[in-house]
PDB file of all heavy atoms in Angstrom:
ATOM      1  N   GLN A   1      -0.291   7.164 -21.041  1.00  0.00           N
ATOM      2  CA  GLN A   1       0.709   7.258 -19.972  1.00  0.00           C
ATOM      3  C   GLN A   1       1.695   6.077 -20.068  1.00  0.00           C
ATOM      4  O   GLN A   1       1.303   4.936 -19.882  1.00  0.00           O
ATOM      5  CB  GLN A   1      -0.014   7.244 -18.613  1.00  0.00           C
ATOM      6  CG  GLN A   1       0.864   7.191 -17.395  1.00  0.00           C
ATOM      7  CD  GLN A   1       1.931   8.264 -17.338  1.00  0.00           C
ATOM      8  OE1 GLN A   1       3.105   8.022 -17.596  1.00  0.00           O
ATOM      9  NE2 GLN A   1       1.501   9.493 -17.039  1.00  0.00           N
ATOM     10  N   ASP A   2       2.975   6.404 -20.368  1.00  0.00           N
ATOM     11  CA  ASP A   2       3.934   5.297 -20.548  1.00  0.00           C
ATOM     12  C   ASP A   2       4.322   4.630 -19.225  1.00  0.00           C
ATOM     13  O   ASP A   2       4.652   3.453 -19.203  1.00  0.00           O
ATOM     14  CB  ASP A   2       5.184   5.740 -21.337  1.00  0.00           C
ATOM     15  CG  ASP A   2       5.882   6.939 -20.730  1.00  0.00           C
ATOM     16  OD1 ASP A   2       5.394   7.476 -19.725  1.00  0.00           O
ATOM     17  OD2 ASP A   2       6.923   7.349 -21.265  1.00  0.00           O
ATOM     18  N   ASN A   3       4.273   5.369 -18.117  1.00  0.00           N
ATOM     19  CA  ASN A   3       4.556   4.765 -16.803  1.00  0.00           C
ATOM     20  C   ASN A   3       3.265   4.591 -15.994  1.00  0.00           C
ATOM     21  O   ASN A   3       3.155   5.048 -14.871  1.00  0.00           O
ATOM     22  CB  ASN A   3       5.568   5.605 -16.018  1.00  0.00           C
ATOM     23  CG  ASN A   3       6.941   5.603 -16.672  1.00  0.00           C
ATOM     24  OD1 ASN A   3       7.266   4.709 -17.447  1.00  0.00           O
ATOM     25  ND2 ASN A   3       7.740   6.601 -16.363  1.00  0.00           N
ATOM     26  N   GLU A   4       2.296   3.924 -16.620  1.00  0.00           N
ATOM     27  CA  GLU A   4       1.000   3.687 -15.956  1.00  0.00           C
ATOM     28  C   GLU A   4       1.232   2.840 -14.695  1.00  0.00           C
ATOM     29  O   GLU A   4       0.785   3.184 -13.607  1.00  0.00           O
ATOM     30  CB  GLU A   4       0.067   2.979 -16.939  1.00  0.00           C
ATOM     31  CG  GLU A   4      -1.378   2.942 -16.535  1.00  0.00           C
ATOM     32  CD  GLU A   4      -2.101   4.286 -16.637  1.00  0.00           C
ATOM     33  OE1 GLU A   4      -1.956   5.088 -15.714  1.00  0.00           O
ATOM     34  OE2 GLU A   4      -2.837   4.513 -17.610  1.00  0.00           O
ATOM     35  N   ILE A   5       1.916   1.703 -14.861  1.00  0.00           N
ATOM     36  CA  ILE A   5       2.458   0.954 -13.718  1.00  0.00           C
ATOM     37  C   ILE A   5       3.901   0.600 -14.092  1.00  0.00           C
ATOM     38  O   ILE A   5       4.133   0.036 -15.161  1.00  0.00           O
ATOM     39  CB  ILE A   5       1.698  -0.356 -13.442  1.00  0.00           C
ATOM     40  CG1 ILE A   5       0.204  -0.108 -13.201  1.00  0.00           C
ATOM     41  CG2 ILE A   5       2.306  -1.085 -12.236  1.00  0.00           C
ATOM     42  CD1 ILE A   5      -0.628  -1.401 -13.108  1.00  0.00           C
ATOM     43  N   LEU A   6       4.831   0.944 -13.231  1.00  0.00           N
ATOM     44  CA  LEU A   6       6.233   0.619 -13.500  1.00  0.00           C
ATOM     45  C   LEU A   6       6.907   0.228 -12.191  1.00  0.00           C
ATOM     46  O   LEU A   6       6.796   0.941 -11.192  1.00  0.00           O
ATOM     47  CB  LEU A   6       6.955   1.827 -14.119  1.00  0.00           C
ATOM     48  CG  LEU A   6       8.471   1.693 -14.340  1.00  0.00           C
ATOM     49  CD1 LEU A   6       8.800   0.608 -15.353  1.00  0.00           C
ATOM     50  CD2 LEU A   6       9.074   3.026 -14.788  1.00  0.00           C
ATOM     51  N   LEU A   7       7.584  -0.917 -12.209  1.00  0.00           N
ATOM     52  CA  LEU A   7       8.447  -1.310 -11.090  1.00  0.00           C
ATOM     53  C   LEU A   7       9.879  -1.187 -11.589  1.00  0.00           C
ATOM     54  O   LEU A   7      10.287  -1.892 -12.523  1.00  0.00           O
ATOM     55  CB  LEU A   7       8.138  -2.737 -10.647  1.00  0.00           C
ATOM     56  CG  LEU A   7       8.894  -3.214  -9.410  1.00  0.00           C
ATOM     57  CD1 LEU A   7       8.559  -2.361  -8.177  1.00  0.00           C
ATOM     58  CD2 LEU A   7       8.608  -4.687  -9.129  1.00  0.00           C
ATOM     59  N   PHE A   8      10.610  -0.271 -10.961  1.00  0.00           N
ATOM     60  CA  PHE A   8      11.920   0.146 -11.476  1.00  0.00           C
ATOM     61  C   PHE A   8      12.926   0.129 -10.331  1.00  0.00           C
ATOM     62  O   PHE A   8      12.589   0.481  -9.198  1.00  0.00           O
ATOM     63  CB  PHE A   8      11.790   1.569 -12.049  1.00  0.00           C
ATOM     64  CG  PHE A   8      12.968   2.025 -12.858  1.00  0.00           C
ATOM     65  CD1 PHE A   8      13.146   1.587 -14.160  1.00  0.00           C
ATOM     66  CD2 PHE A   8      13.903   2.914 -12.316  1.00  0.00           C
ATOM     67  CE1 PHE A   8      14.228   2.015 -14.921  1.00  0.00           C
ATOM     68  CE2 PHE A   8      14.991   3.343 -13.064  1.00  0.00           C
ATOM     69  CZ  PHE A   8      15.152   2.896 -14.368  1.00  0.00           C
ATOM     70  N   LYS A   9      14.149  -0.286 -10.630  1.00  0.00           N
ATOM     71  CA  LYS A   9      15.201  -0.272  -9.608  1.00  0.00           C
ATOM     72  C   LYS A   9      16.317   0.656 -10.083  1.00  0.00           C
ATOM     73  O   LYS A   9      17.143   0.282 -10.906  1.00  0.00           O
ATOM     74  CB  LYS A   9      15.724  -1.688  -9.373  1.00  0.00           C
ATOM     75  CG  LYS A   9      16.318  -1.826  -7.985  1.00  0.00           C
ATOM     76  CD  LYS A   9      16.551  -3.251  -7.563  1.00  0.00           C
ATOM     77  CE  LYS A   9      17.196  -3.232  -6.177  1.00  0.00           C
ATOM     78  NZ  LYS A   9      17.877  -4.461  -5.837  1.00  0.00           N
ATOM     79  N   PRO A  10      16.337   1.923  -9.610  1.00  0.00           N
ATOM     80  CA  PRO A  10      17.317   2.886 -10.111  1.00  0.00           C
ATOM     81  C   PRO A  10      18.740   2.606  -9.636  1.00  0.00           C
ATOM     82  O   PRO A  10      19.701   2.955 -10.300  1.00  0.00           O
ATOM     83  CB  PRO A  10      16.828   4.225  -9.563  1.00  0.00           C
ATOM     84  CG  PRO A  10      15.970   3.892  -8.400  1.00  0.00           C
ATOM     85  CD  PRO A  10      15.397   2.521  -8.650  1.00  0.00           C
ATOM     86  N   LYS A  11      18.858   1.955  -8.467  1.00  0.00           N
ATOM     87  CA  LYS A  11      20.191   1.647  -7.928  1.00  0.00           C
ATOM     88  C   LYS A  11      20.027   0.575  -6.854  1.00  0.00           C
ATOM     89  O   LYS A  11      18.903   0.327  -6.395  1.00  0.00           O
ATOM     90  CB  LYS A  11      20.826   2.904  -7.342  1.00  0.00           C
ATOM     91  CG  LYS A  11      20.054   3.527  -6.206  1.00  0.00           C
ATOM     92  CD  LYS A  11      20.687   4.830  -5.751  1.00  0.00           C
ATOM     93  CE  LYS A  11      19.930   5.414  -4.581  1.00  0.00           C
ATOM     94  NZ  LYS A  11      20.287   6.794  -4.292  1.00  0.00           N
ATOM     95  N   PRO A  12      21.129  -0.052  -6.438  1.00  0.00           N
ATOM     96  CA  PRO A  12      21.015  -1.064  -5.385  1.00  0.00           C
ATOM     97  C   PRO A  12      20.363  -0.478  -4.126  1.00  0.00           C
ATOM     98  O   PRO A  12      20.620   0.666  -3.752  1.00  0.00           O
ATOM     99  CB  PRO A  12      22.480  -1.440  -5.105  1.00  0.00           C
ATOM    100  CG  PRO A  12      23.186  -1.159  -6.404  1.00  0.00           C
ATOM    101  CD  PRO A  12      22.503   0.046  -6.968  1.00  0.00           C
ATOM    102  N   GLY A  13      19.471  -1.255  -3.518  1.00  0.00           N
ATOM    103  CA  GLY A  13      18.836  -0.832  -2.276  1.00  0.00           C
ATOM    104  C   GLY A  13      17.630   0.069  -2.438  1.00  0.00           C
ATOM    105  O   GLY A  13      17.113   0.596  -1.461  1.00  0.00           O
ATOM    106  N   GLU A  14      17.169   0.261  -3.674  1.00  0.00           N
ATOM    107  CA  GLU A  14      16.034   1.164  -3.882  1.00  0.00           C
ATOM    108  C   GLU A  14      15.118   0.644  -4.993  1.00  0.00           C
ATOM    109  O   GLU A  14      15.583   0.302  -6.067  1.00  0.00           O
ATOM    110  CB  GLU A  14      16.553   2.553  -4.247  1.00  0.00           C
ATOM    111  CG  GLU A  14      15.470   3.603  -4.358  1.00  0.00           C
ATOM    112  CD  GLU A  14      16.054   5.008  -4.616  1.00  0.00           C
ATOM    113  OE1 GLU A  14      16.940   5.426  -3.847  1.00  0.00           O
ATOM    114  OE2 GLU A  14      15.643   5.642  -5.582  1.00  0.00           O
ATOM    115  N   TYR A  15      13.834   0.585  -4.685  1.00  0.00           N
ATOM    116  CA  TYR A  15      12.811   0.292  -5.696  1.00  0.00           C
ATOM    117  C   TYR A  15      11.921   1.513  -5.854  1.00  0.00           C
ATOM    118  O   TYR A  15      11.626   2.205  -4.878  1.00  0.00           O
ATOM    119  CB  TYR A  15      11.923  -0.881  -5.263  1.00  0.00           C
ATOM    120  CG  TYR A  15      12.529  -2.242  -5.469  1.00  0.00           C
ATOM    121  CD1 TYR A  15      13.289  -2.839  -4.477  1.00  0.00           C
ATOM    122  CD2 TYR A  15      12.317  -2.948  -6.649  1.00  0.00           C
ATOM    123  CE1 TYR A  15      13.828  -4.115  -4.649  1.00  0.00           C
ATOM    124  CE2 TYR A  15      12.859  -4.217  -6.838  1.00  0.00           C
ATOM    125  CZ  TYR A  15      13.612  -4.790  -5.831  1.00  0.00           C
ATOM    126  OH  TYR A  15      14.146  -6.041  -6.016  1.00  0.00           O
ATOM    127  N   ARG A  16      11.482   1.744  -7.093  1.00  0.00           N
ATOM    128  CA  ARG A  16      10.477   2.769  -7.353  1.00  0.00           C
ATOM    129  C   ARG A  16       9.226   2.115  -7.911  1.00  0.00           C
ATOM    130  O   ARG A  16       9.303   1.330  -8.854  1.00  0.00           O
ATOM    131  CB  ARG A  16      10.973   3.778  -8.392  1.00  0.00           C
ATOM    132  CG  ARG A  16      11.972   4.756  -7.846  1.00  0.00           C
ATOM    133  CD  ARG A  16      12.303   5.785  -8.911  1.00  0.00           C
ATOM    134  NE  ARG A  16      13.443   6.585  -8.502  1.00  0.00           N
ATOM    135  CZ  ARG A  16      14.032   7.495  -9.269  1.00  0.00           C
ATOM    136  NH1 ARG A  16      13.567   7.708 -10.500  1.00  0.00           N
ATOM    137  NH2 ARG A  16      15.057   8.176  -8.831  1.00  0.00           N
ATOM    138  N   LEU A  17       8.087   2.477  -7.331  1.00  0.00           N
ATOM    139  CA  LEU A  17       6.796   2.062  -7.874  1.00  0.00           C
ATOM    140  C   LEU A  17       6.123   3.286  -8.477  1.00  0.00           C
ATOM    141  O   LEU A  17       5.880   4.275  -7.780  1.00  0.00           O
ATOM    142  CB  LEU A  17       5.909   1.481  -6.768  1.00  0.00           C
ATOM    143  CG  LEU A  17       4.465   1.185  -7.189  1.00  0.00           C
ATOM    144  CD1 LEU A  17       4.404   0.065  -8.227  1.00  0.00           C
ATOM    145  CD2 LEU A  17       3.592   0.841  -5.978  1.00  0.00           C
ATOM    146  N   TYR A  18       5.863   3.209  -9.782  1.00  0.00           N
ATOM    147  CA  TYR A  18       5.158   4.284 -10.491  1.00  0.00           C
ATOM    148  C   TYR A  18       3.703   3.886 -10.680  1.00  0.00           C
ATOM    149  O   TYR A  18       3.403   2.743 -11.036  1.00  0.00           O
ATOM    150  CB  TYR A  18       5.736   4.496 -11.886  1.00  0.00           C
ATOM    151  CG  TYR A  18       7.073   5.166 -11.959  1.00  0.00           C
ATOM    152  CD1 TYR A  18       8.242   4.473 -11.653  1.00  0.00           C
ATOM    153  CD2 TYR A  18       7.190   6.493 -12.390  1.00  0.00           C
ATOM    154  CE1 TYR A  18       9.482   5.084 -11.753  1.00  0.00           C
ATOM    155  CE2 TYR A  18       8.430   7.110 -12.506  1.00  0.00           C
ATOM    156  CZ  TYR A  18       9.566   6.408 -12.182  1.00  0.00           C
ATOM    157  OH  TYR A  18      10.798   7.006 -12.284  1.00  0.00           O
ATOM    158  N   VAL A  19       2.801   4.838 -10.477  1.00  0.00           N
ATOM    159  CA  VAL A  19       1.396   4.701 -10.874  1.00  0.00           C
ATOM    160  C   VAL A  19       1.018   5.997 -11.575  1.00  0.00           C
ATOM    161  O   VAL A  19       1.156   7.084 -11.003  1.00  0.00           O
ATOM    162  CB  VAL A  19       0.469   4.467  -9.657  1.00  0.00           C
ATOM    163  CG1 VAL A  19      -0.992   4.424 -10.103  1.00  0.00           C
ATOM    164  CG2 VAL A  19       0.835   3.177  -8.929  1.00  0.00           C
ATOM    165  N   GLY A  20       0.589   5.901 -12.828  1.00  0.00           N
ATOM    166  CA  GLY A  20       0.173   7.094 -13.570  1.00  0.00           C
ATOM    167  C   GLY A  20       1.258   8.157 -13.669  1.00  0.00           C
ATOM    168  O   GLY A  20       0.971   9.350 -13.618  1.00  0.00           O
ATOM    169  N   GLY A  21       2.518   7.722 -13.805  1.00  0.00           N
ATOM    170  CA  GLY A  21       3.625   8.659 -14.023  1.00  0.00           C
ATOM    171  C   GLY A  21       4.249   9.236 -12.762  1.00  0.00           C
ATOM    172  O   GLY A  21       5.307   9.857 -12.818  1.00  0.00           O
ATOM    173  N   LYS A  22       3.612   9.047 -11.603  1.00  0.00           N
ATOM    174  CA  LYS A  22       4.187   9.505 -10.320  1.00  0.00           C
ATOM    175  C   LYS A  22       4.771   8.292  -9.597  1.00  0.00           C
ATOM    176  O   LYS A  22       4.306   7.172  -9.805  1.00  0.00           O
ATOM    177  CB  LYS A  22       3.105  10.145  -9.440  1.00  0.00           C
ATOM    178  CG  LYS A  22       2.336  11.289 -10.090  1.00  0.00           C
ATOM    179  CD  LYS A  22       3.039  12.611  -9.812  1.00  0.00           C
ATOM    180  CE  LYS A  22       2.182  13.842 -10.071  1.00  0.00           C
ATOM    181  NZ  LYS A  22       1.391  13.853 -11.295  1.00  0.00           N
ATOM    182  N   PHE A  23       5.767   8.519  -8.727  1.00  0.00           N
ATOM    183  CA  PHE A  23       6.357   7.363  -8.069  1.00  0.00           C
ATOM    184  C   PHE A  23       6.621   7.604  -6.583  1.00  0.00           C
ATOM    185  O   PHE A  23       6.702   8.745  -6.122  1.00  0.00           O
ATOM    186  CB  PHE A  23       7.649   6.925  -8.769  1.00  0.00           C
ATOM    187  CG  PHE A  23       8.808   7.881  -8.630  1.00  0.00           C
ATOM    188  CD1 PHE A  23       9.692   7.788  -7.560  1.00  0.00           C
ATOM    189  CD2 PHE A  23       9.039   8.860  -9.594  1.00  0.00           C
ATOM    190  CE1 PHE A  23      10.768   8.657  -7.440  1.00  0.00           C
ATOM    191  CE2 PHE A  23      10.111   9.736  -9.491  1.00  0.00           C
ATOM    192  CZ  PHE A  23      10.981   9.630  -8.405  1.00  0.00           C
ATOM    193  N   VAL A  24       6.737   6.484  -5.852  1.00  0.00           N
ATOM    194  CA  VAL A  24       7.226   6.488  -4.475  1.00  0.00           C
ATOM    195  C   VAL A  24       8.436   5.563  -4.413  1.00  0.00           C
ATOM    196  O   VAL A  24       8.572   4.646  -5.236  1.00  0.00           O
ATOM    197  CB  VAL A  24       6.156   6.035  -3.457  1.00  0.00           C
ATOM    198  CG1 VAL A  24       5.125   7.126  -3.234  1.00  0.00           C
ATOM    199  CG2 VAL A  24       5.481   4.739  -3.885  1.00  0.00           C
ATOM    200  N   ILE A  25       9.304   5.820  -3.442  1.00  0.00           N
ATOM    201  CA  ILE A  25      10.551   5.069  -3.288  1.00  0.00           C
ATOM    202  C   ILE A  25      10.463   4.170  -2.065  1.00  0.00           C
ATOM    203  O   ILE A  25      10.000   4.596  -1.001  1.00  0.00           O
ATOM    204  CB  ILE A  25      11.739   6.044  -3.136  1.00  0.00           C
ATOM    205  CG1 ILE A  25      11.971   6.805  -4.441  1.00  0.00           C
ATOM    206  CG2 ILE A  25      13.011   5.306  -2.711  1.00  0.00           C
ATOM    207  CD1 ILE A  25      12.983   7.927  -4.332  1.00  0.00           C
ATOM    208  N   PHE A  26      10.907   2.931  -2.229  1.00  0.00           N
ATOM    209  CA  PHE A  26      11.035   2.007  -1.102  1.00  0.00           C
ATOM    210  C   PHE A  26      12.495   1.573  -1.014  1.00  0.00           C
ATOM    211  O   PHE A  26      13.042   1.059  -1.981  1.00  0.00           O
ATOM    212  CB  PHE A  26      10.124   0.785  -1.296  1.00  0.00           C
ATOM    213  CG  PHE A  26       8.666   1.131  -1.301  1.00  0.00           C
ATOM    214  CD1 PHE A  26       7.992   1.355  -2.495  1.00  0.00           C
ATOM    215  CD2 PHE A  26       7.964   1.245  -0.108  1.00  0.00           C
ATOM    216  CE1 PHE A  26       6.641   1.683  -2.505  1.00  0.00           C
ATOM    217  CE2 PHE A  26       6.603   1.576  -0.110  1.00  0.00           C
ATOM    218  CZ  PHE A  26       5.947   1.794  -1.303  1.00  0.00           C
ATOM    219  N   ARG A  27      13.115   1.818   0.151  1.00  0.00           N
ATOM    220  CA  ARG A  27      14.527   1.468   0.336  1.00  0.00           C
ATOM    221  C   ARG A  27      14.617   0.108   1.021  1.00  0.00           C
ATOM    222  O   ARG A  27      13.962  -0.119   2.035  1.00  0.00           O
ATOM    223  CB  ARG A  27      15.230   2.550   1.155  1.00  0.00           C
ATOM    224  CG  ARG A  27      15.337   3.837   0.360  1.00  0.00           C
ATOM    225  CD  ARG A  27      16.049   4.961   1.077  1.00  0.00           C
ATOM    226  NE  ARG A  27      16.061   6.151   0.207  1.00  0.00           N
ATOM    227  CZ  ARG A  27      15.076   7.036   0.148  1.00  0.00           C
ATOM    228  NH1 ARG A  27      14.005   6.890   0.902  1.00  0.00           N
ATOM    229  NH2 ARG A  27      15.157   8.070  -0.673  1.00  0.00           N
ATOM    230  N   VAL A  28      15.435  -0.760   0.466  1.00  0.00           N
ATOM    231  CA  VAL A  28      15.524  -2.140   0.955  1.00  0.00           C
ATOM    232  C   VAL A  28      16.975  -2.489   1.269  1.00  0.00           C
ATOM    233  O   VAL A  28      17.895  -1.851   0.748  1.00  0.00           O
ATOM    234  CB  VAL A  28      14.963  -3.128  -0.102  1.00  0.00           C
ATOM    235  CG1 VAL A  28      13.492  -2.851  -0.364  1.00  0.00           C
ATOM    236  CG2 VAL A  28      15.762  -3.084  -1.397  1.00  0.00           C
ATOM    237  N   PRO A  29      17.194  -3.505   2.111  1.00  0.00           N
ATOM    238  CA  PRO A  29      18.577  -3.923   2.369  1.00  0.00           C
ATOM    239  C   PRO A  29      19.195  -4.477   1.094  1.00  0.00           C
ATOM    240  O   PRO A  29      18.509  -5.092   0.278  1.00  0.00           O
ATOM    241  CB  PRO A  29      18.430  -5.015   3.433  1.00  0.00           C
ATOM    242  CG  PRO A  29      17.009  -5.431   3.403  1.00  0.00           C
ATOM    243  CD  PRO A  29      16.221  -4.290   2.864  1.00  0.00           C
ATOM    244  N   GLU A  30      20.460  -4.245   0.922  1.00  0.00           N
ATOM    245  CA  GLU A  30      21.110  -4.605  -0.338  1.00  0.00           C
ATOM    246  C   GLU A  30      22.275  -5.536  -0.057  1.00  0.00           C
ATOM    247  O   GLU A  30      22.815  -5.551   1.034  1.00  0.00           O
ATOM    248  CB  GLU A  30      21.619  -3.317  -1.013  1.00  0.00           C
ATOM    249  CG  GLU A  30      22.098  -3.500  -2.427  1.00  0.00           C
ATOM    250  CD  GLU A  30      21.086  -4.173  -3.336  1.00  0.00           C
ATOM    251  OE1 GLU A  30      19.902  -3.789  -3.348  1.00  0.00           O
ATOM    252  OE2 GLU A  30      21.500  -5.093  -4.062  1.00  0.00           O
ATOM    253  N   GLY A  31      22.643  -6.289  -1.068  1.00  0.00           N
ATOM    254  CA  GLY A  31      23.915  -6.983  -1.003  1.00  0.00           C
ATOM    255  C   GLY A  31      23.828  -8.473  -0.736  1.00  0.00           C
ATOM    256  O   GLY A  31      24.836  -9.109  -0.470  1.00  0.00           O
ATOM    257  N   HIS A  32      22.620  -9.062  -0.809  1.00  0.00           N
ATOM    258  CA  HIS A  32      22.542 -10.500  -0.568  1.00  0.00           C
ATOM    259  C   HIS A  32      22.874 -11.301  -1.822  1.00  0.00           C
ATOM    260  O   HIS A  32      23.123 -12.502  -1.732  1.00  0.00           O
ATOM    261  CB  HIS A  32      21.146 -10.879  -0.068  1.00  0.00           C
ATOM    262  CG  HIS A  32      20.769 -10.161   1.186  1.00  0.00           C
ATOM    263  ND1 HIS A  32      21.554 -10.202   2.314  1.00  0.00           N
ATOM    264  CD2 HIS A  32      19.721  -9.366   1.491  1.00  0.00           C
ATOM    265  CE1 HIS A  32      20.989  -9.470   3.258  1.00  0.00           C
ATOM    266  NE2 HIS A  32      19.876  -8.946   2.783  1.00  0.00           N
ATOM    267  N   ARG A  33      22.851 -10.652  -2.980  1.00  0.00           N
ATOM    268  CA  ARG A  33      23.086 -11.365  -4.241  1.00  0.00           C
ATOM    269  C   ARG A  33      22.255 -12.636  -4.306  1.00  0.00           C
ATOM    270  O   ARG A  33      22.760 -13.731  -4.543  1.00  0.00           O
ATOM    271  CB  ARG A  33      24.578 -11.709  -4.400  1.00  0.00           C
ATOM    272  CG  ARG A  33      25.445 -10.490  -4.603  1.00  0.00           C
ATOM    273  CD  ARG A  33      25.387 -10.025  -6.048  1.00  0.00           C
ATOM    274  NE  ARG A  33      26.082  -8.767  -6.234  1.00  0.00           N
ATOM    275  CZ  ARG A  33      25.483  -7.582  -6.215  1.00  0.00           C
ATOM    276  NH1 ARG A  33      24.195  -7.502  -6.010  1.00  0.00           N
ATOM    277  NH2 ARG A  33      26.179  -6.488  -6.431  1.00  0.00           N
TER     278      ARG A  33
END
């Protein structure tokens, strides 16, 4: 499984946590640089 654990940011304000190829999305405040 290539995405066994993956922390990925597809766009500003969003993180994806993958476990075993499946993921959940966490939306965060953006723009603090």
Side-chain angles (χ1 to χ4, degrees):
Q1 174 53 257
D2 55 358
N3 293 338
E4 193 72 279
I5 303 172
L6 174 64
L7 185 62
F8 192 78
K9 205 166 178 200
K11 61 185 182 193
E14 185 175 307
Y15 281 90
R16 284 185 191 174
L17 172 66
Y18 287 76
V19 176
K22 305 270 196 316
F23 69 89
V24 285
I25 292 172
F26 296 95
R27 291 181 181 86
V28 298
E30 190 53 47
H32 302 305
R33 292 280 173 265

